[in-house]
Amino acid sequence: MLDTTPQTYTRADEAFDCLQTAIVKGDLAPGDKIGELDLCSRFDLTRGPLREALGRLESRGLLVRRPHAGVRVVSLSTTELVELYRIREIMEGLAARQAAERMTDQEIADLQATLDAHETMIDEAHGQAYYQAEGDYDFHHRIATGSRNVKLAQMLLGDLYYMVRMYRYRLSTSAGRPHRALGEHRRIVEAIAQRDGELAEFLMKRHINAARKNIEKKIQEGVLTI
Amino acid sequence: MLDTTPQTYTRADEAFDCLQTAIVKGDLAPGDKIGELDLCSRFDLTRGPLREALGRLESRGLLVRRPHAGVRVVSLSTTELVELYRIREIMEGLAARQAAERMTDQEIADLQATLDAHETMIDEAHGQAYYQAEGDYDFHHRIATGSRNVKLAQMLLGDLYYMVRMYRYRLSTSAGRPHRALGEHRRIVEAIAQRDGELAEFLMKRHINAARKNIEKKIQEGVLTI
DNA sequence: CAAGCCCATATTGTCGACAAACTATGCTGG
DNA sequence: CCAGCATAGTTTGTCGACAATATGGGCTTG
């Protein structure tokens, strides 16, 4: 009895993916009131699967719903966005620690290779934000799965990352930051390669802390208006 | 335009609550394969709202679903259960720290009064596990909301607690532990009352760490079979 | 002229039936 | 006697229509 994992993709899954990417990419902006019929015609779906997808999105915190009053894309206040980074800080710290204890040598090697690829991408793009964002996402993704902590990875990859990515396009990093971030990534991987979980956790927390302070600064400068 | 919060409870919400409590209370045991029609007749619902509730429960990790093959209550392995406590440790630690910074004096006073009530409950019940469990839940609930970190509270109260409570009835604390746990609670509240966030975080992490080690010991003893 | 109420409309919540897919039983062949 | 396959049955996924409710505009009234 092989676990063939039939993996038949259902309409609801399709709807879920469509909506999630639409929200993350900004096609559905925060605060938008979205009607079910609009969405149906937009993604060529029927209301049944759509509603199921909406329920899932709501449960993940990307949508807010009021009975009989429609569904809106969640709109984070500045303080909520900052709080999100505090959560990321500790959770990714734990992920880094456990990754240092559990990643295979092969995975670590792949991770280092990934960083090399990121470096060339950044050089070619002259520090453009987009590639940095993708590379950053890739890096944190690998750490999360490498922790072998299923629930932790699920929470990071399923909940937090999508919310952060929602606001990513407004959080363009300042010039020169890509290189510095890459350096921080390298030091984290070094710690992991040396199986030093404590150091990996410390460096990861500081890495995300820097990002949080960067955002807080921009908010105080009034550059970032949400 | 007062925000009257119409709060009309929909059938889907009803279904969601019913299922969640049924899972937590153990009426639906981990690993059970549950048919939609069974559930409909059981809770007197129709399949539409039920499916929406199932989607939400799946998204929260309490159910696993395979297309066309039914839905089962999630069954945690021992390692997954332990990993859950590692996540709780850091998240509740953060909650305690932020609660120390942000709870109102009134909330802190209420929290202390709650602990007094717990003490009498434990004495009356001669350390019976059930009251301890309820009191423990209440305590951690207040800390989470007191952190004023919406997302953090949402993750703790919405996701983690229900998974932990699912296995609570098997995790009966050893004799005498209720009193010790209460003592730990008191010290945490003391730290919060003194607005010492760092200490509150430390004590909370140690508190949950103790619970985790307790479980690990029981698993190694073979007492706890999941 | 402003504020509050009432009603029409459009949207959401709910229901029952149809179609597609997996599971299990029985049969055939080696 | 066991293994593999085909088929029947049950369960899930999907669809369209009906009912309930919040929003917004117009009206009345102070």
Side-chain angles (χ1 to χ4, degrees):
Chain A
M1 197 232 262
L2 292 170
D3 190 352
T4 47
T5 60
Q7 294 290 14
T8 49
Y9 260 34
T10 169
R11 296 266 198 192
D13 294 328
E14 188 186 329
F16 182 76
D17 291 336
C18 285
L19 286 176
Q20 195 167 39
T21 57
I23 293 172
V24 169
K25 284 195 174 181
D27 297 341
L28 298 173
D32 274 8
K33 183 198 167 205
I34 52 187
E36 293 186 358
L37 296 178
D38 297 355
L39 293 176
C40 286
S41 57
R42 195 161 168 176
F43 296 108
D44 195 37
L45 290 163
T46 175
R47 279 185 61 214
L50 180 86
R51 282 181 62 78
E52 194 175 322
L54 289 178
R56 284 198 243 175
L57 268 309
E58 184 201 15
S59 177
R60 293 205 174 182
L62 265 69
L63 297 178
V64 289
R65 211 173 191 179
R66 238 179 20 177
H68 294 283
V71 52
R72 312 180 86 89
V73 180
V74 73
S75 177
L76 265 54
S77 68
T78 53
T79 61
E80 283 173 321
L81 184 61
V82 170
E83 295 298 334
L84 212 62
Y85 271 77
R86 294 209 101 106
I87 303 177
R88 267 194 73 191
E89 181 181 329
I90 57 168
M91 293 191 72
E92 299 232 29
L94 177 61
R97 173 189 286 264
Q98 296 194 320
E101 298 165 356
R102 301 175 184 176
M103 277 180 97
T104 66
D105 293 335
Q106 182 60 50
E107 285 176 324
I108 296 175
D110 288 348
L111 186 50
Q112 282 167 328
T114 302
L115 289 189
D116 294 337
H118 292 169
E119 183 160 23
T120 62
M121 283 205 309
I122 292 174
D123 287 343
E124 286 173 0
H126 293 286
Q128 206 170 352
Y130 175 73
Y131 292 106
Q132 167 60 15
E134 284 302 305
D136 197 70
Y137 175 69
D138 190 17
F139 173 76
H140 291 283
H141 190 99
R142 282 169 187 260
I143 303 274
T145 55
S147 76
R148 298 285 192 285
N149 189 328
V150 204
K151 187 71 182 173
L152 180 64
Q154 182 184 323
M155 294 176 101
L156 280 173
L157 303 173
D159 290 355
L160 289 179
Y161 281 0
Y162 285 103
M163 297 207 75
V164 171
R165 286 180 66 176
M166 240 180 77
Y167 288 89
R168 173 90 75 181
Y169 67 101
R170 307 200 193 193
L171 305 175
S172 54
T173 53
S174 23
R177 174 122 180 81
H179 272 104
R180 204 169 62 208
L182 182 66
E184 291 172 4
H185 287 181
R186 282 210 186 278
R187 291 173 71 182
I188 293 169
V189 175
E190 276 173 30
I192 291 176
Q194 290 165 16
R195 305 296 181 185
D196 189 342
E198 200 170 354
L199 180 60
E201 177 171 10
F202 172 79
L203 291 173
M204 178 65 91
K205 287 174 81 168
R206 197 168 66 173
H207 173 55
I208 294 179
N209 215 348
R212 176 175 63 80
K213 285 180 180 170
N214 191 24
I215 294 174
E216 283 180 331
K217 202 185 68 179
K218 288 200 176 183
I219 290 174
Q220 284 195 339
E221 287 172 356
V223 181
L224 192 64
T225 50
I226 298 182
Chain B
M1 196 236 263
L2 291 170
D3 190 352
T4 47
T5 59
Q7 293 290 14
T8 49
Y9 260 33
T10 169
R11 297 267 198 191
D13 294 328
E14 188 186 330
F16 182 75
D17 290 337
C18 285
L19 285 176
Q20 195 166 36
T21 57
I23 293 173
V24 168
K25 284 195 175 181
D27 297 341
L28 298 173
D32 274 9
K33 183 199 168 206
I34 53 186
E36 294 186 357
L37 296 178
D38 298 355
L39 293 176
C40 287
S41 57
R42 196 161 169 176
F43 297 107
D44 194 38
L45 290 164
T46 175
R47 279 185 59 213
L50 180 85
R51 283 181 61 78
E52 194 175 322
L54 289 178
R56 284 198 243 175
L57 267 309
E58 184 202 14
S59 177
R60 293 205 175 182
L62 265 70
L63 297 178
V64 289
R65 211 174 193 178
R66 236 178 22 174
H68 295 282
V71 52
R72 313 180 85 89
V73 180
V74 73
S75 177
L76 264 54
S77 67
T78 52
T79 62
E80 283 173 321
L81 185 60
V82 171
E83 295 298 334
L84 213 60
Y85 271 77
R86 295 209 100 108
I87 302 176
R88 266 193 74 190
E89 181 182 327
I90 58 167
M91 293 190 73
E92 299 232 30
L94 177 61
R97 173 188 287 264
Q98 296 195 320
E101 297 166 357
R102 301 177 183 175
M103 277 179 99
T104 66
D105 293 335
Q106 182 60 50
E107 284 174 325
I108 296 175
D110 288 349
L111 185 51
Q112 281 167 330
T114 303
L115 289 189
D116 294 337
H118 292 170
E119 184 160 21
T120 61
M121 284 205 307
I122 292 174
D123 288 342
E124 287 173 1
H126 294 287
Q128 206 170 352
Y130 175 74
Y131 293 105
Q132 168 59 15
E134 285 302 306
D136 196 71
Y137 175 70
D138 190 19
F139 172 76
H140 290 283
H141 190 97
R142 282 168 186 260
I143 302 274
T145 55
S147 75
R148 299 285 192 283
N149 189 329
V150 203
K151 187 71 182 173
L152 180 64
Q154 184 183 324
M155 293 176 102
L156 279 173
L157 303 173
D159 289 355
L160 289 178
Y161 281 1
Y162 286 103
M163 297 207 74
V164 171
R165 286 178 65 174
M166 240 181 75
Y167 287 89
R168 173 90 73 182
Y169 67 100
R170 307 198 192 196
L171 303 177
S172 54
T173 53
S174 22
R177 174 123 180 81
H179 272 104
R180 204 170 62 208
L182 184 66
E184 291 172 4
H185 287 181
R186 284 211 185 277
R187 292 174 70 182
I188 292 170
V189 176
E190 277 172 29
I192 291 177
Q194 291 165 15
R195 305 296 182 184
D196 189 342
E198 199 170 355
L199 180 60
E201 177 171 11
F202 171 79
L203 291 173
M204 178 64 91
K205 286 173 82 167
R206 198 167 66 173
H207 173 55
I208 294 179
N209 216 350
R212 177 175 62 80
K213 284 179 180 169
N214 191 23
I215 294 173
E216 281 180 334
K217 202 184 69 180
K218 287 200 177 184
I219 290 174
Q220 283 195 338
E221 286 172 357
V223 180
L224 192 65
T225 50
I226 300 181

